[in-house]
Amino acid sequence: MADVKIRRMTWLDVEEVTKVEEASFAIPWTKEAFMNEMLRNEQAVYFVAVHDKRVVGFVGVWTIVDEGHITNIAVLPELRGQGIGNQLLAELVAFAKSKGLVGLTLEVRVSNVGAQKLYEQFGFMQAGRRRRYYQDNNEDAYIYWAKLGSESE
């Protein structure tokens, strides 16, 4: 899908982002949670993937000192496997490097092998496990970390 544009998310995208979230997760974030991220959380930065003027995916990160914690990444189920998640993660990694972040971390379900492969393509490595992390079914999460070098390296 070549005609996907990645851009910074604004509060005007919250309605559509919430729809992607609801289609993607067993316990989705609420519209209010995303609005709070946009308007009140100075550490939060989100990007959206737009196709035909519609938000079809998003990724978010919290910047904490010199590290980033990826909060969530999702693509509409019917559009998965077309490289949109890859484009979103590439944009996020470029942003993190531009801000001088030295690393990125995230949690991923032990069963979500597809996501793990995506993260590993970007240099993320498994660094631990959180037992019973997911509230919907008590599934464990792997903790992934990626060290980021500067653009000049």
Side-chain angles (χ1 to χ4, degrees):
M1 179 177 291
D3 57 346
V4 170
K5 180 178 182 256
I6 309 296
R7 63 166 171 77
R8 282 286 286 267
M9 179 178 161
T10 73
W11 68 271
L12 296 170
D13 298 312
V14 165
E15 193 78 42
E16 288 185 278
V17 164
T18 302
K19 290 177 183 170
V20 175
E21 175 83 359
E22 289 170 348
S24 301
F25 299 109
I27 301 178
W29 286 19
T30 63
K31 188 166 87 170
E32 292 76 21
F34 282 112
M35 196 61 86
N36 189 57
E37 289 289 278
M38 289 294 94
L39 301 178
R40 293 183 189 88
N41 185 350
E42 293 179 8
Q43 282 74 43
V45 175
Y46 285 77
F47 295 92
V48 291
V50 180
H51 172 66
D52 287 341
K53 299 181 181 176
R54 173 173 84 125
V55 172
V56 297
F58 71 96
V59 63
V61 65
W62 292 336
T63 57
I64 303 160
V65 188
D66 62 352
E67 296 173 347
H69 181 93
I70 297 176
T71 57
N72 38 21
I73 180 169
V75 174
L76 285 173
E78 64 270 22
L79 297 176
R80 290 181 190 154
Q82 298 183 36
I84 299 170
N86 196 302
Q87 288 178 261
L88 284 162
L89 200 50
E91 186 73 23
L92 185 77
V93 168
F95 168 80
K97 287 180 177 181
S98 78
K99 293 299 181 190
L101 300 184
V102 298
L104 287 169
T105 186
L106 57 85
E107 290 86 12
V108 60
R109 287 181 186 269
V110 169
S111 64
N112 194 346
V113 177
Q116 292 166 31
K117 286 181 180 176
L118 171 66
Y119 303 138
E120 289 165 4
Q121 288 174 11
F122 282 86
F124 282 82
M125 297 177 65
Q126 203 180 114
R129 186 176 185 129
R130 295 196 197 281
R131 302 270 175 214
R132 302 169 63 87
Y133 182 78
Y134 290 97
Q135 295 174 354
D136 62 324
N137 65 358
N138 290 319
E139 184 175 354
D140 291 358
Y142 288 134
I143 303 164
Y144 271 75
W145 273 96
K147 290 183 180 167
L148 303 177
S150 67
E151 295 293 347
S152 60
E153 286 186 67

